[in-house]
Amino acid sequence: MSIKFNCIIIILVFKTFISPAQENRGATIPWTTYEAEDMKTTGTVMGPKYGPYQVETESSGQKCVKLSEKGQSIVFTSNTNANSMVIRFSLPDSKNGNGTNSTLCLYVNGKLIKNCKIRSNYAWLYGKYPFTNSPDAGVPRHFYDEVRIKDLKVRKGDLISIKREDQEGDDAGYSIIDLVDLEDIAPPLKAPVNSLSITDKAFTESGLTTDYTQALKDCIAKAIETGKSVWIPAGTFKITGDIIVPANLTIQGAGMWYSILAGDETLYTNMNRRVRLTGDGSNIHLADFAIVGKLNYRKDNEPNDGIVGSYGTNSTISRIWIEHTKVGMWVENSQNLKITDCRMRNTMADGINFCVGMSQSTIRNCTARGTGDDCFAIWPATFKVQKFSPGQNLIINCTAQLPFLANGAAIYGGESNKISNCSFVDISPGSAILISTTFPTESKDKRINNNFSGTTVVENCDIKTSGGFDHEWDWRAAVEICIDKRSIAGINMRNLNIDNSLSNGLSVIAKNGDGQTGVLTNTILQNINISNYGIGVKGRYGLYISNGAYGSLNVKRSNIREMKNVSENFTIVQ
């Protein structure tokens, strides 16, 4: 028998509710963010707006500042010492989709410190998924990019001004500023003992000083031969081809702000000439460098660039910054892989995706902002031979913000995966957390089925201003269970704080309202606090069960105002 709820208020005693012995939620972030709309400005504050295809919706807090005239600025006081800065900005596109140029002038206490040249050629996508760079297709998205600046000297209490100027070659009609990050980064690391540098003469004897692809390959080969590690010193090194990373190798850089493997913009339309580090073995260790690609479009039939491949057993990826690639990391067939303290920025697709054959692996203390698909995802696909039984993977203490497509964190199947102690903010094109059967997890011969099994856990997460408009699914909830093509059994969601959802707070949906697509069973919502919802679209609920949903869930000790069940085949148990 189903139970329909039109308006139910659950009132409970909360002393142990908010979070018993609450741990840190989200990544430990070493920078301080200053929102443009909170600064003194001669520009125009825009927003909030919550619908699709507008720059305000993709902005932090759905607000930003537009500098339309030369000399307009934003001004704020630094509350900490810093030597580096990130500016998240948006410029208009050109009529042909090739982008425009502008200059932001950085002043500290009235003194000009730096002229920052910015471009919009890595932003702006149009039309239907997987999108195009042609403005004629309409329905724009992906308005923002970022510029990072180091070697600054900012002291606590300094007055910082960012001013729009028109200089030679600038053709943008405005500059929009979303936010500014200030960070005090440590000095560059020194080369470890028993390491080989990619700049050693042995690897650059041919006079090759602008393209380090072969030098890095030769350095890796020599390191394997001699049992040494590979050292990437401070500097920017052009990479224009695949780098295979074999077993038992360490690649160490001077720091994510200092050692940069960068693509060649003139070659990046060739899918074989990109920055791609491909794991091919166990006991691989990558640390302390950046990968800066040059990709400004998405084609899913092209291979991923960034960090990809198989990392076997007991590998680590630490303190890596990745931007302007198709994905940040798309890893497969790895067990006990640990990804820690990494930053994914402005990718065309996923931030980090655990795909085929991922087992007992962890994404910890990582951040993703401005991704073009799920910030963090677990998808136990079967399009390749899986070497490990997928499951028991963990996304913990991570922060996801501002993707321009899809979700904060998503699990699409597998055994007993977990999302824990994470923070999700401004997930406006989808759900902060999505548990879904949308993507295939069964082999063609039906011998392997990686659908949900065991207990999938989502716990101790803070979710704010999420649950927005998805171009294929309409408005998603901040937290959503999607029984699309297969059944889901064994979900435990507990200790979630869901605030200011753009649409529903939490929902169970089925893709089709006509006929059964899957059944939800053995699912518990416990200590769920939904404080506000429907700020972007009217007629929404704290908990919503869609037409066509089959199954049941159990709600325990939760603060959920207004439940709505429109399915005759779904039961809410309290």
Side-chain angles (χ1 to χ4, degrees):
M1 178 183 294
S2 67
I3 302 175
K4 295 186 178 181
F5 295 87
N6 291 321
C7 181
I8 294 180
I9 301 176
I10 301 175
I11 302 174
L12 297 166
V13 178
F14 280 81
K15 281 192 176 180
T16 60
F17 160 71
I18 295 291
S19 63
Q22 179 169 324
E23 300 178 41
N24 179 56
R25 297 185 174 189
T28 300
I29 292 175
W31 63 86
T32 302
T33 296
Y34 301 81
E35 297 287 350
E37 66 270 17
D38 295 334
M39 302 176 189
K40 182 179 178 181
T41 182
T42 53
T44 303
V45 176
M46 301 171 62
K49 291 183 179 179
Y50 305 103
Y53 318 128
Q54 48 197 355
V55 67
E56 295 93 335
T57 306
E58 286 189 19
S59 303
S60 176
Q62 291 71 58
K63 292 182 180 181
C64 54
V65 171
K66 186 174 186 178
L67 307 179
S68 301
E69 304 294 335
K70 178 180 178 180
Q72 288 186 329
S73 65
I74 54 173
V75 182
F76 67 101
T77 300
S78 174
N79 58 25
T80 185
N81 295 339
N83 56 17
S84 64
M85 174 184 291
V86 171
I87 304 172
R88 189 169 193 256
F89 69 89
S90 177
L91 298 181
D93 201 359
S94 60
K95 291 183 179 180
N96 61 7
N98 290 331
T100 59
N101 304 273
S102 189
T103 303
L104 295 176
C105 297
L106 174 62
Y107 294 81
V108 177
N109 297 326
K111 181 181 179 181
L112 177 63
I113 301 299
K114 190 175 182 64
N115 290 328
C116 305
K117 288 291 186 180
I118 56 176
R119 304 187 294 168
S120 66
N121 59 313
Y122 292 112
W124 294 91
L125 294 173
Y126 305 90
K128 295 181 179 180
Y129 172 88
F131 315 120
T132 174
N133 295 97
S134 173
D136 292 339
V139 291
R141 68 175 67 228
H142 184 26
F143 302 100
Y144 280 102
D145 196 8
E146 297 179 1
V147 59
R148 64 178 191 171
I149 308 159
K150 61 183 180 68
D151 299 324
L152 303 177
K153 292 182 180 179
V154 175
R155 295 291 176 260
K156 182 178 180 179
D158 282 352
L159 194 67
I160 297 173
S161 176
I162 299 173
K163 184 181 294 186
R164 178 175 179 246
E165 296 287 356
D166 287 326
Q167 299 186 359
E168 185 177 356
D170 291 354
D171 55 357
Y174 61 79
S175 300
I176 291 175
I177 308 298
D178 183 24
L179 56 82
V180 177
D181 294 334
L182 290 183
E183 183 176 355
D184 199 25
I185 59 177
L189 300 172
K190 295 182 179 180
V193 297
N194 204 34
S195 64
L196 301 172
S197 173
I198 65 171
T199 59
D200 287 348
K201 289 184 178 180
F203 312 122
T204 58
E205 287 181 350
S206 63
L208 186 66
T209 57
T210 58
D211 189 325
Y212 279 82
T213 309
Q214 192 60 47
L216 178 53
K217 290 179 178 180
D218 292 344
C219 188
I220 288 172
K222 193 66 174 180
I224 291 296
E225 177 187 333
T226 60
K228 295 184 178 182
S229 64
V230 172
W231 168 246
I232 306 174
T236 299
F237 305 96
K238 184 192 297 184
I239 301 296
T240 59
D242 291 340
I243 303 297
I244 305 300
V245 185
N248 304 311
L249 179 71
T250 295
I251 301 180
Q252 172 72 53
M256 63 169 65
W257 280 88
Y258 300 106
S259 301
I260 302 169
L261 303 180
D264 185 330
E265 190 171 80
T266 63
L267 299 175
Y268 228 76
T269 53
N270 184 335
M271 63 184 180
N272 297 314
R273 303 298 301 274
R274 297 174 182 167
V275 186
R276 182 167 30 245
L277 271 60
T278 303
D280 188 27
S282 299
N283 193 35
I284 294 170
H285 305 284
L286 310 178
D288 299 299
F289 58 90
I291 294 175
V292 178
K294 305 294 181 179
L295 191 66
N296 67 350
Y297 67 88
R298 177 168 178 171
K299 287 186 179 179
D300 286 349
N301 61 353
E302 293 185 348
N304 296 314
D305 52 319
I307 292 177
V308 301
S310 169
Y311 289 80
T313 57
N314 304 321
S315 294
T316 61
I317 302 174
S318 306
R319 299 175 299 280
I320 307 291
W321 182 311
I322 304 178
E323 65 179 39
H324 294 155
T325 51
K326 184 178 175 185
V327 300
M329 303 181 195
W330 186 286
V331 289
E332 302 162 353
N333 286 320
S334 306
Q335 186 175 72
N336 195 35
L337 170 66
K338 298 185 185 304
I339 301 176
T340 57
D341 307 312
C342 294
R343 305 184 196 181
M344 306 298 108
R345 296 288 186 273
N346 307 304
T347 58
M348 298 306 294
D350 300 62
I352 301 176
N353 192 310
F354 278 178
C355 199
V356 177
M358 293 300 298
S359 172
Q360 302 172 50
S361 295
T362 302
I363 306 169
R364 182 186 296 271
N365 204 57
C366 294
T367 62
R369 186 166 71 195
T371 61
D373 218 305
D374 296 330
C375 295
F376 306 104
I378 298 172
W379 176 30
T382 58
F383 54 79
K384 289 184 178 180
V385 175
Q386 62 184 40
K387 298 179 181 179
F388 304 101
S389 179
Q392 301 179 56
N393 300 296
L394 174 62
I395 302 170
I396 185 168
N397 290 119
C398 290
T399 295
Q401 298 171 284
L402 295 160
F404 61 86
L405 178 70
N407 312 287
I411 300 177
Y412 298 108
E415 179 188 356
S416 300
N417 294 302
K418 180 185 288 189
I419 299 169
S420 180
N421 295 93
C422 291
S423 173
F424 303 93
V425 183
D426 298 321
I427 314 297
S428 64
S431 298
I433 299 171
L434 176 67
I435 309 298
S436 173
T437 55
T438 295
F439 295 107
T441 58
E442 186 177 53
S443 61
K444 291 182 179 180
D445 61 10
K446 309 294 184 182
R447 294 181 182 179
I448 298 174
N449 187 344
N450 296 328
N451 196 24
F452 289 92
S453 62
T455 302
T456 301
V457 174
V458 178
E459 64 179 6
N460 305 330
C461 293
D462 288 338
I463 298 158
K464 184 177 180 181
T465 51
S466 298
F469 185 83
D470 183 302
H471 66 288
E472 291 186 349
W473 292 83
D474 203 76
W475 290 87
R476 283 199 184 272
V479 176
E480 191 157 279
I481 300 170
C482 178
I483 42 178
D484 182 9
K485 297 178 175 67
R486 299 176 303 283
S487 296
I488 301 177
I491 300 176
N492 192 334
M493 292 187 177
R494 56 192 180 230
N495 305 327
L496 306 184
N497 294 329
I498 304 172
D499 184 36
N500 283 338
S501 298
L502 306 188
S503 180
N504 296 311
L506 194 152
S507 67
V508 178
I509 69 167
K511 176 86 171 185
N512 303 310
D514 301 324
Q516 182 174 339
T517 57
V519 181
L520 180 68
T521 58
N522 193 24
T523 293
I524 299 173
L525 307 181
Q526 183 170 316
N527 293 344
I528 308 296
N529 178 31
I530 302 177
S531 57
N532 198 15
Y533 50 84
I535 68 171
V537 59
K538 295 180 179 179
R540 302 297 153 149
Y541 302 89
L543 173 62
Y544 178 76
I545 313 298
S546 80
N547 185 32
Y550 283 71
S552 64
L553 59 77
N554 194 330
V555 180
K556 298 181 178 180
R557 299 192 298 277
S558 294
N559 176 32
I560 304 175
R561 183 172 54 87
E562 281 192 288
M563 299 184 188
K564 181 75 169 181
N565 180 4
V566 298
S567 173
E568 296 182 353
N569 301 292
F570 199 93
T571 303
I572 299 175
V573 180
Q574 298 181 73

